[in-house]
Amino acid sequence: MRVLLAVGVVALSLGCSRGVRPDSAVAGTKPATGKVYSNEAGERVTLIGLEPGDSKKALVMFEGTKSELDGQVLVASVDQERRKTEYWTPWRGRKQRFVSVEDRGGYEDLIFSDVNHTGYTHLKPDTAKTGALKVEKVFERYQDLEGDKKYQSMLAFDRKFWANQAEVQLAEAAAETNKACGSKLTPTVAWDSVTDAQINDISFGSYCVGPLESLQKLCERSDEAKRAVQQKLQAVECRMDAQAALKLEAQKVIWSVTERDTVQPDAATSFFTDNL
């Protein structure tokens, strides 16, 4: 029997106690085997392969992660490489990889990243919880969620949500820069330059933080850089444009990113060194 999970798992009872709606994302499948992963922080991720194996689908359930994913069951498309299996799930209108499992040459390492992908945690196979796992219950839980309006709204594209995620990342980077430089830089995003498709296609927040990180490193190395930032800069702005670039207007640094390119660290460092 071919199983979607990339690891040997304990075979659990198959079949479902009720029919699946024809329009369900899991129509034509049934739960095969499952495995629970956990860590000392109480985070738990359950992976359940779906048959037939060539559907390349699985269910992913999140518990104790202290994120908005807690209590959710998502259907995932499974991308398997030699020693790594990635689980891609829809969330807030974007295809997200919250979970991957890697073969570390003798043990399995499940890597979980939250919605904004700013941090990662590691989980190990939990034999006891796997033994108690009822795959049919999780399968039914997913079917119940499919009919829930709140759940469906969290799968739909949410521009406000992703914009907030990007602003949080930019604000955190600016706070670190201000700490290093002794400055009071105010970060902004030119959202009128960013389309829904671009927000949906790239991790906009991570694209924007690069120049701030370069500025932070300059301040950490040089008191002269600190004084220049304190005296000459009050604000920073990130926007989308035809090409990645930096410019200085009054006391604001404006940098542009594209769908495929950001301002590279060396270029950012050279710009700040020459213009501040």
Side-chain angles (χ1 to χ4, degrees), residues 194-254:
V194 188
T195 67
D196 286 355
Q198 288 166 334
I199 292 177
N200 196 37
D201 189 52
I202 66 173
S203 178
F204 187 72
S206 62
Y207 271 48
C208 282
V209 300
L212 277 169
E213 293 172 346
S214 296
L215 199 58
Q216 175 188 341
K217 291 177 181 178
L218 278 173
C219 288
E220 289 172 343
R221 295 197 300 261
S222 167
D223 288 338
E224 183 180 354
K226 289 182 181 180
R227 289 191 293 271
V229 173
Q230 293 168 11
Q231 295 169 8
K232 298 181 180 181
L233 290 183
Q234 291 184 352
V236 296
E237 180 184 284
C238 181
R239 61 169 47 244
M240 295 288 295
D241 213 332
Q243 65 182 38
L246 274 161
K247 65 179 179 179
L248 181 63
E249 290 185 357
Q251 291 184 300
K252 176 191 286 189
V253 173
I254 300 173

Side-chain angles (χ1 to χ4, degrees), residues 132-150:
L133 177 63
K134 305 297 184 184
V135 295
E136 291 184 4
K137 295 295 185 183
V138 179
F139 193 78
E140 291 176 359
R141 167 67 177 160
Y142 174 75
Q143 293 177 72
D144 290 339
L145 287 170
E146 275 194 316
D148 184 87
K149 290 184 179 180
K150 182 178 180 181

Side-chain angles (χ1 to χ4, degrees), residues 167 170-171 174 178 185-189 212 234-237:
E167 288 179 349
L170 192 60
N178 284 331
L185 300 178
T186 303
T188 58
V189 177
L212 277 169
Q234 291 184 352
V236 296
E237 180 184 284

Side-chain angles (χ1 to χ4, degrees), residues 193 198 239-245 256-261:
S193 71
Q198 288 166 334
R239 61 169 47 244
M240 295 288 295
D241 213 332
Q243 65 182 38
S256 303
V257 301
T258 74
E259 294 176 33
R260 295 177 179 82
D261 196 15

